[in-house]
Amino acid sequence: MPKPSRIRVTALTTALVLFVLTGCSGGGSENQDLTAQKLDWKACPAPDEAEGGGDSPSPLPGGASWQCATMKAPLDWSKPKGATIGLALIRAKASGAPDRRIGSLVFNFGGPGGSGVTTLPAFGADYAALRTRYDLVSFDPRGVGRSDPVECENDAQLDDYFQQDATPDTSAERTQLMKRTQQFNAACEKNSKTILPHVPTTDAARDMDLMRQVLGDRQLHYFGISYGTELGGVYAHLFPKNVGRAVFDAVVDPTQNPEQSSLGQAKGFQLALDNFAEDCTSKKTPCPIGDTPQDVKDRIAKLLVDLDRKPIPGILPRMLTQTAATNGIAQSLYSKDFWEYLTEGLEEAYDGDGKILMLLSDSMNGRNQNGEYSNITAANIAINCADEKPRYTADYVQQKLPEFRAASPLFGDYLAWGMVSCTDWAVPGAADHPDVSAPGSAPILVVGNTGDPATPYEGAKKMVEALGQGIGVELTYKGQGHGAYDSKNKCVQGAVNGYLLEGTVPRAGTVCT
């Protein structure tokens, strides 16, 4: 999920939009050998508000049930025998013959800040082939969901926060944006002071190695998506000899600093919008939102300008602002399956009804129909700010706006101003970019999607290079949307399944269409 005012590295959960997700437990603090702990697997409870709410996960096809447990991990990995926190886990046991079981396959769906406990059941049926030989396992990373969640503002305050103008045009608007950002960050420090220093990706990677041992696996078999590829790369750097069969899908460029990442996303979302406009106007039936691709984009741009002057009714009493509309448009570009919602949402917005675009924006922000927010925004900001060393000022962003606008007339301002999210953060950031070099690791299959808006395709090659010679194996999917495996492309799924299930590494440079 994104930072507010910025579409950063995001989870596949953002593409669920209208679906209700699911959940698990948390807590604990004892001084003990944590690798020897036994997990108490039980039926999963309904997810709590921090995980997004909803019902307990439904059984898998065939009746298999989901099980949840809590694993203790050190609050501070520099003091491994000190205070602990509880990390919420979920699993579905392998469906095949016991003698064919490989071990556990651990998923991270991205964010950072996405709840794996709620997301894995939502996609569970898609991984039926992998479950024949693996226990499917996911978790809420530290600071997320039930795993000692970062807490910042309450639901009413978040409604106000997301109604702010995130693309200021005047000095007064810039002052207000910086003031409101500072208020949010101060609330995070006040309400989550204990956990904030302990949510960087390196800590989550150490949690995964503890998880590997507690689950009884000699190596970590792993499926990372979006930010999950960064987490997987950091794990491989820290524990190269412990890497088993690993797949990275929707790949983060580990060589970029936050500014470069935001600029890359501006280009990526602009490409996705171009592809959407081309698709709408290339069909036999007339496109209802424009006659040509440029006409579609021009009308969207005019809508956003109009909304900046005068918002329209959204989900009352909230109004659809320019920022909310931009956020909703971005959300719909995560998957080609949601282009129809974007078309319908734009049609209605042109007639003065902003409900659909606001619903899309709410999904991006982790707001359910009851008005409750998950902690996706708080966790996303906390983890990114703990990871990212640079701190950008309003003056610096103002200087960079021409470059961002050249990359994307629609999303440039939105993504540029999102860089101020960490400016007044209480905890210093760790580095300009993550170190994922992993000499000695087993091969890692790296899958890049040419039409990916949130993690542009070029990042896959950069990840392969950064992992080191002979480690990363690149596979290209010529498709649309965020990620490749969930597209259900047979070539992609065949290559991924072949590696995870049989250990067959596809030829480097394989292209799937």
Side-chain angles (χ1 to χ4, degrees):
M1 286 289 179
K3 291 182 178 180
S5 314
R6 173 161 85 171
I7 315 159
R8 287 303 312 283
V9 176
T10 53
L12 281 183
T13 51
T14 57
L16 294 174
V17 184
L18 304 178
F19 290 81
V20 178
L21 302 183
T22 44
C24 208
S25 48
S29 61
E30 286 182 17
N31 188 351
Q32 60 180 354
D33 178 8
L34 296 177
T35 63
Q37 65 184 294
K38 302 296 182 184
L39 298 178
D40 184 17
W41 294 102
K42 296 179 179 178
C44 293
D48 65 13
E49 182 178 339
E51 291 175 304
D55 300 323
S56 299
S58 301
L60 285 157
S65 62
W66 294 96
Q67 299 174 313
C68 285
T70 301
M71 184 187 80
K72 294 178 181 179
L75 169 65
D76 183 345
W77 269 103
S78 70
K79 302 174 182 177
K81 297 293 185 179
T84 65
I85 58 174
L87 302 183
L89 275 62
I90 189 168
R91 77 172 179 186
K93 298 188 73 173
S95 62
D99 62 349
R100 293 276 294 162
R101 180 182 176 276
I102 296 171
S104 302
L105 181 61
V106 176
F107 289 79
N108 181 281
F109 294 93
S115 167
V117 168
T118 62
T119 306
L120 181 58
F123 288 101
D126 294 345
Y127 304 120
L130 299 175
R131 195 166 71 88
T132 60
R133 301 195 67 189
Y134 290 100
D135 295 346
L136 305 184
V137 176
S138 195
F139 63 107
D140 289 354
R142 54 177 57 223
V144 176
R146 289 188 193 241
S147 298
D148 207 28
V150 174
E151 297 176 351
C152 297
E153 296 189 326
N154 62 33
D155 294 334
Q157 290 169 325
L158 287 170
D159 273 346
D160 173 75
Y161 183 66
F162 288 118
Q163 288 294 102
Q164 70 178 317
D165 187 343
T167 55
D169 303 307
T170 67
S171 59
E173 289 179 350
R174 288 193 290 274
T175 298
Q176 178 57 31
L177 174 64
M178 298 304 293
K179 179 180 178 181
R180 190 63 185 85
T181 301
Q182 187 177 40
Q183 288 174 350
F184 179 90
N185 292 356
C188 298
E189 182 180 13
K190 177 182 177 181
N191 296 322
S192 302
K193 190 171 185 177
T194 301
I195 189 67
L196 286 189
H198 304 297
V199 296
T201 298
T202 49
D203 285 30
R206 295 184 187 283
D207 291 340
M208 287 206 304
D209 201 58
L210 175 61
M211 191 183 308
R212 172 192 65 79
Q213 296 171 76
V214 172
L215 292 171
D217 291 323
R218 186 177 63 84
Q219 293 180 305
L220 179 75
H221 305 296
Y222 180 73
F223 199 137
I225 301 160
S226 193
Y227 161 79
T229 66
E230 179 178 328
L231 175 58
V234 170
Y235 178 90
H237 172 69
L238 295 174
F239 306 103
K241 299 298 184 181
N242 295 345
V243 176
R245 299 175 187 176
V247 173
F248 295 174
D249 186 7
V251 186
V252 172
D253 184 340
T255 69
Q256 292 182 331
N257 64 29
E259 179 186 340
Q260 293 166 332
S261 176
S262 293
L263 186 61
Q265 285 195 323
K267 296 174 182 177
F269 276 93
Q270 186 63 46
L271 174 63
L273 184 70
D274 293 345
N275 292 337
F276 161 76
E278 180 69 35
D279 179 78
C280 188
T281 56
S282 65
K283 297 175 180 177
K284 292 182 180 179
T285 55
C287 175
I289 55 171
D291 298 327
T292 66
Q294 191 60 49
D295 185 36
V296 171
K297 291 181 285 187
D298 288 345
R299 292 187 67 187
I300 293 173
K302 183 179 183 302
L303 171 68
L304 295 178
V305 170
D306 291 344
L307 289 173
D308 194 31
R309 291 197 304 262
K310 185 179 180 181
I312 61 175
I315 300 174
L316 295 176
R318 294 176 300 143
M319 304 292 283
L320 182 74
T321 62
Q322 180 191 51
T323 298
T326 306
N327 205 38
I329 293 167
Q331 167 71 318
S332 65
L333 296 175
Y334 274 84
S335 171
K336 191 174 182 178
D337 292 341
F338 293 100
W339 287 3
E340 62 181 289
Y341 296 119
L342 177 54
T343 300
E344 186 178 355
L346 289 169
E347 277 190 279
E348 293 195 1
Y350 294 147
D351 290 333
D353 183 348
K355 288 189 186 70
I356 291 178
L357 289 184
M358 179 154 274
L359 183 63
L360 289 162
S361 182
D362 284 348
S363 175
M364 177 79 93
N365 295 331
R367 188 186 195 271
N368 66 26
Q369 294 182 5
N370 296 326
E372 298 173 340
Y373 286 87
S374 73
N375 90 312
I376 181 69
T377 294
N380 180 276
I381 293 176
I383 295 167
N384 277 329
C385 293
D387 282 346
E388 299 170 353
K389 189 174 182 179
R391 300 291 187 252
Y392 301 104
T393 65
D395 287 343
Y396 184 82
V397 171
Q398 191 71 31
Q399 294 172 15
K400 290 292 180 176
L401 286 178
E403 187 177 359
F404 275 78
R405 288 168 179 166
S408 174
L410 187 70
F411 297 106
D413 280 41
Y414 180 72
L415 284 154
W417 282 109
M419 294 193 298
V420 303
S421 297
C422 297
T423 299
D424 297 301
W425 196 249
V427 177
D432 289 333
H433 58 82
D435 190 346
V436 301
S437 58
S441 169
I444 296 173
L445 180 57
V446 178
V447 186
N449 180 354
T450 58
D452 197 316
T455 50
Y457 169 66
E458 293 78 11
K461 182 178 181 180
K462 294 295 183 65
M463 176 66 80
V464 167
E465 293 172 349
L467 287 168
Q469 188 172 4
I471 307 301
V473 178
E474 186 175 4
L475 181 148
T476 295
Y477 169 53
K478 291 187 175 181
Q480 301 297 327
H482 187 40
Y485 190 89
D486 193 54
S487 71
K488 298 180 175 59
N489 178 273
K490 291 182 178 179
C491 173
V492 172
Q493 292 194 338
V496 170
N497 293 350
Y499 182 45
L500 290 176
L501 295 173
E502 305 299 336
T504 303
V505 181
R507 179 178 56 82
T510 296
V511 177
C512 294
T513 58

